[in-house]
Amino acid sequence: MGTLTWNASWVNPFESGWSILEKIKYANVINTRDLLHEFEFDLENLIHVIGFDFLEQSKQNLTRLTGMFSKITYINYLIRSDLTYCEECLSMGHHSLFHQFSLLHQCPFHLCDLRNACSKCGRKITFNFVNFQTFEGFTCKCSELITDLNFKSLSEWQLHVPIKDELLIKWLEIDITTASYLFKNDFFYFPQLIKEPGAMEFILQYYDFKRTPLVNS
């Protein structure tokens, strides 16, 4: 197995695994199929070479967002299956797991609406770490960039953009262990709930209501 151009400083907090792989592909001018073939179709081999466990980071980030809900079916609703992105973020080579979180309808960094299709052809793109097409970094099946890229150097991938969404900040402050205990017998109808613009605020208020007796005891 060969070496790759890679710098762990390019990874931003809550960056998606998809985004990290797109950066690897872009920096090394390689498509998905050739990248996987180079590393024997084993992401663990790739992780060993770059020295950064993006699978573990993705797992931890997912837990921070959804770990308070024990039912796996909830997770399926809470993480969008189609790639959803902020054009401003992606133009700088960044995609966050926040963008896939179904309770968010705007980018928490730029407070702009999210997109879920290629800006050039309108085709939706499945959100996963790997697809076995020949796409190069940040490129759609139509062979065009998903959105125009504005960075001039790979060093610009290290962003310092604060979270502006106050509800998301509160969400990330939830104690996962406490919340999972409080919610373990509750039923959330997420197929409908994720369509409601106030769903995140409702769950946060419900969490505060349920933990009040614990705080006062």
Side-chain angles (χ1 to χ4, degrees):
M1 292 178 286
T3 59
L4 290 173
T5 299
W6 175 250
N7 190 325
S9 69
W10 294 340
V11 180
N12 299 288
F14 283 93
E15 184 147 9
S16 71
W18 176 87
S19 183
I20 293 170
L21 277 175
E22 294 305 298
K23 285 179 173 178
I24 292 172
K25 288 157 53 180
Y26 189 92
N28 292 276
V29 195
I30 192 171
N31 61 47
T32 307
R33 185 176 297 166
D34 291 344
L35 177 67
L36 292 176
H37 184 267
E38 177 71 19
F39 293 94
E40 301 175 357
F41 295 88
D42 188 340
L43 291 180
E44 294 293 342
N45 290 334
L46 176 58
I47 287 169
H48 176 73
V49 169
I50 66 174
F52 180 82
D53 194 341
F54 58 87
L55 293 179
E56 179 61 27
Q57 174 182 278
S58 297
K59 180 181 177 180
Q60 292 177 5
N61 289 342
L62 183 63
T63 298
R64 286 284 304 282
L65 281 180
T66 67
M68 63 287 293
F69 304 110
S70 59
K71 296 181 176 64
I72 188 64
T73 52
Y74 287 173
I75 312 304
N76 294 336
Y77 285 110
L78 287 169
I79 301 300
R80 298 180 175 102
S81 58
D82 291 324
L83 180 70
T84 306
Y85 63 94
C86 162
E87 284 191 288
E88 289 194 50
C89 285
L90 198 59
S91 72
M92 295 304 296
H94 176 65
H95 175 264
S96 173
L97 186 62
F98 293 149
H99 299 142
Q100 296 300 131
F101 192 39
S102 297
L103 299 182
L104 288 175
H105 303 283
Q106 291 186 319
C107 174
F109 308 111
H110 299 102
L111 302 181
C112 57
D113 290 341
L114 299 171
R115 297 192 59 151
N116 66 349
C118 173
S119 65
K120 308 297 173 55
C121 71
R123 179 184 280 110
K124 292 188 176 183
I125 301 167
T126 300
F127 175 70
N128 54 23
F129 285 120
V130 177
N131 66 58
F132 291 90
Q133 303 297 322
T134 58
F135 311 152
E136 296 179 348
F138 304 109
T139 302
C140 174
K141 190 176 181 179
C142 69
S143 299
E144 297 288 340
L145 292 168
I146 298 169
T147 195
D148 292 334
L149 302 178
N150 294 328
F151 55 85
K152 297 179 180 179
S153 167
L154 302 187
S155 63
E156 295 180 54
W157 282 347
Q158 185 178 22
L159 304 177
H160 302 281
V161 185
I163 298 173
K164 297 178 181 178
D165 188 312
E166 294 183 2
L167 289 179
L168 178 59
I169 293 173
K170 291 180 180 179
W171 188 274
L172 295 174
E173 292 172 350
I174 290 176
D175 184 280
I176 299 298
T177 302
T178 300
S180 60
Y181 171 76
L182 294 174
F183 293 164
K184 64 181 179 179
N185 295 319
D186 293 330
F187 175 75
F188 296 89
Y189 188 59
F190 280 114
Q192 179 60 39
L193 198 57
I194 60 176
K195 299 176 184 178
E196 303 295 333
M200 178 178 282
E201 185 173 14
F202 165 76
I203 295 173
L204 284 169
Q205 290 174 347
Y206 184 64
Y207 169 68
D208 285 339
F209 169 76
K210 294 208 71 172
R211 76 188 181 103
T212 299
L214 297 179
V215 173
N216 295 334
S217 62

